Amino acid sequence: MKNEMQLSSSVEKMFTQKEIEEILKDEQRFYIEHAEKNWLNRYFKIKAIANETKVPSIVSSISDMPHGSSNFKKSKTEMYAIKTIQASEWLEILGSTIQLLSPIEQELIELKYLRRRNDGARYSDESIYPQLYIGKTRYYEIKKEALEILGRHLYGVFAEKDFS
């Protein structure tokens, strides 16, 4: 506790209160953007990959490369299977991370990002907060907090190149 207080006072000497608040806001924005861009906005695409069924090719490929060779390419069927498994793991990680949120945060994330209207579009914020029986200001506070929590927990879990 004493070390934390010393660190806190040394940080306060280096930065003004306003600068500290800006740094924290930037950090919060980073995690919110990460949760939306790299996880929630990809949800339907990854879900489609996880549920995709590919029929194996009936065309054989012949290679003079021995099977033990490190340069041996995987078959298309293997690649589809691996991608499907990775997508399923991705969905499990997202689902278990959402479970860490409070019930109202979970419902908000579900309604805003994991469900679509009949025309395929996302539900608007204006249509969600009445369903949660909360006001507009409280809705945006909860949404911001939920996204930040998700972003912090999910940051670095999957390499961004895995599912572009």
Side-chain angles (χ1 to χ4, degrees):
M1 189 71 168
K2 186 178 179 183
N3 289 340
E4 289 174 12
M5 291 176 70
Q6 288 174 339
L7 176 65
S8 177
S9 65
S10 65
V11 167
E12 287 173 356
K13 289 176 187 173
M14 291 174 23
F15 300 102
T16 66
Q17 183 65 30
K18 188 171 180 152
E19 288 173 324
I20 292 170
E21 288 171 8
E22 271 306 306
I23 291 168
L24 294 174
K25 276 185 185 175
D26 287 345
E27 181 182 6
Q28 182 184 47
R29 275 189 290 255
F30 171 82
Y31 286 114
I32 288 170
E33 186 178 303
H34 176 74
E36 286 186 310
K37 179 182 166 201
N38 296 312
W39 288 86
L40 299 170
N41 291 346
R42 293 171 145 179
Y43 173 75
F44 288 102
K45 179 181 178 183
I46 303 296
K47 187 176 178 184
I49 292 170
N51 294 328
E52 203 171 62
T53 308
K54 291 286 183 183
V55 177
S57 173
I58 58 170
V59 178
S60 297
S61 61
I62 300 172
S63 172
D64 59 354
M65 296 294 293
H67 281 290
S69 170
S70 61
N71 292 336
F72 185 74
K73 292 184 179 178
K74 292 182 173 83
S75 72
K76 285 183 181 180
T77 305
E78 283 179 298
M79 293 307 294
Y80 288 128
I82 289 168
K83 199 163 192 150
T84 300
I85 291 167
Q86 287 176 330
S88 295
E89 288 173 352
W90 188 96
L91 290 170
E92 286 176 28
I93 290 167
L94 178 61
S96 64
T97 305
I98 289 171
Q99 292 299 311
L100 300 173
L101 302 173
S102 72
I104 195 160
E105 290 169 334
Q106 289 178 33
E107 192 172 357
L108 185 152
I109 295 297
E110 171 81 24
L111 291 169
K112 180 64 182 170
Y113 297 99
L114 309 182
R115 287 192 196 160
R116 295 241 171 120
R117 298 184 330 205
N118 291 337
D119 64 0
R122 270 201 186 133
Y123 288 99
S124 68
D125 293 321
E126 291 75 20
S127 69
I128 296 171
Y129 63 81
Q131 293 180 55
L132 299 174
Y133 303 104
I134 56 174
K136 186 177 185 177
T137 302
R138 184 70 184 126
Y139 170 82
Y140 285 107
E141 290 169 354
I142 293 169
K143 180 180 173 186
K144 185 190 293 187
E145 186 164 324
L147 290 172
E148 183 182 2
I149 291 167
L150 287 177
R152 286 182 183 278
H153 283 282
L154 294 169
Y155 182 72
V157 172
F158 266 84
E160 305 314 323
K161 64 181 171 34
D162 286 346
F163 294 106
S164 39

